[in-house]
Amino acid sequence: LSYLTAVAKSVSFPPYDPWYAGGYINYYYFGFVPIAALMRLTGVVPTVAYNLAVPLLFAMTFTAAFSVGYNLTEGLRQRAKLAVSSRTTLAAGVVTALLVTVLANLDGAAQLLQAAGRTFNGESFGNFDFWRSSRIYGRPGVPAPFEQAAIQEFPFWSFLFADLHAHMISLFVQVTTIGLAANLVLGARSSVGWRARVPGIAWLALAVGSFAAVNTWDLPAYGLLAFGTLTIVGLMVRREPLSPRLIGKLAFVAGLFGALLYG
């Protein structure tokens, strides 16, 4: 909330540091900028805008995941000429969206089964441990009560916890990047030239580049995804066989690309 308020109130970037007078936010803050812009346009106060941004990001992530699942299934159906109806592709989109945004962790189901087992044994049903699903306790070699917890947050937990953090804001951008990559690969066999593919490549580049300011930790993974996408598209368009020399060139470029990202 402090970040969102600082981004909305700052007259120049980087935004001012809400905890250190005279300083500025030394953090990737761009994900808060669109939210702050909508907040300023609508005149909504930060505390209300915060609680509106969480379901908005959930809906955008759900919609993007649906689009990815639907288009991948539809592309497979058309290419393989499968005898399935359009309802199947719609179902695939819905299932994909649910798997990404709602069913990414099965600990909730495990807790229900454990509670049901206690009930059959005559014990109380107990309470649902919301926090447990995001933490893995009991690392080997660490005695209780000093056991450490490994953070295993997942999309539904972040949305339910209303954690308007950079890693949650970037979920929509992540799924959109996957969709843009899939769009280029699915259209690689078409007869259009490279000029017609430039808009798709430009959107992919914009999405990947935005990770540097939205959530920097996502940049290496999705940078490599973009590199692999463009490599596959290039090979499919040129229809060039994978010779050892070509494989060596691709491996060198991939290694250089990865070194630049991780360095």
Side-chain angles (χ1 to χ4, degrees):
L1 180 59
S2 297
Y3 277 179
L4 179 61
T5 304
V7 169
K9 292 177 63 177
S10 294
V11 296
S12 62
F13 286 156
Y16 72 86
D17 192 327
W19 298 289
Y20 180 66
Y24 61 89
I25 294 180
N26 186 21
Y27 197 72
Y28 25 92
Y29 59 84
F30 183 73
F32 294 94
V33 174
I35 300 173
L38 289 174
M39 185 178 75
R40 294 290 297 270
L41 287 172
T42 56
V44 177
V45 296
T47 50
V48 176
Y50 185 104
N51 289 293
L52 291 176
V54 174
L56 172 64
L57 290 169
F58 176 86
M60 294 170 68
T61 305
F62 187 95
T63 304
F66 171 85
S67 177
V68 171
Y70 175 88
N71 284 285
L72 285 176
T73 307
E74 181 65 18
L76 179 63
R77 184 178 75 89
Q78 294 182 6
R79 181 167 298 179
K81 297 181 179 180
L82 300 177
V84 295
S85 64
S86 58
R87 293 182 178 180
T88 304
T89 56
L90 288 172
V94 173
V95 170
T96 302
L98 290 175
L99 288 174
V100 171
T101 57
V102 179
L103 304 174
N105 189 295
L106 298 178
D107 182 66
Q111 289 194 49
L112 290 176
L113 291 176
Q114 293 170 356
R118 290 194 298 268
T119 303
F120 282 120
N121 292 330
E123 303 176 18
S124 63
F125 187 83
N127 297 322
F128 182 78
D129 190 351
F130 165 75
W131 192 262
R132 186 189 100 171
S133 300
S134 68
R135 301 294 188 272
I136 297 180
Y137 293 95
R139 289 186 178 180
V142 181
F146 304 102
E147 56 188 6
Q148 298 179 2
I151 299 176
Q152 300 290 336
E153 296 180 5
F154 48 97
F156 184 73
W157 188 93
S158 296
F159 288 121
L160 189 60
F161 192 56
D163 185 13
L164 192 62
H165 187 271
H167 73 268
M168 190 185 83
I169 298 175
S170 73
L171 286 172
F172 163 70
V173 186
Q174 293 179 50
V175 182
T176 300
T177 301
I178 296 173
L180 293 170
N183 173 63
L184 289 172
V185 173
L186 291 174
R189 288 295 188 187
S190 62
S191 58
V192 299
W194 277 104
R195 181 175 298 180
R197 305 177 198 274
V198 169
I201 297 174
W203 278 111
L204 179 62
L206 178 63
V208 173
S210 69
F211 284 118
V214 175
N215 191 34
T216 310
W217 297 103
D218 294 330
L219 182 59
Y222 288 94
L224 291 175
L225 173 67
F227 172 81
T229 298
L230 296 179
T231 300
I232 293 173
V233 171
L235 292 174
M236 293 177 69
V237 170
R238 295 183 60 185
R239 293 177 172 81
E240 182 177 349
L242 282 175
S243 63
R245 183 177 180 181
L246 179 59
I247 294 176
K249 290 181 178 180
L250 293 176
F252 173 77
V253 175
L256 180 61
F257 190 78
L260 290 173
L261 285 176
Y262 285 95

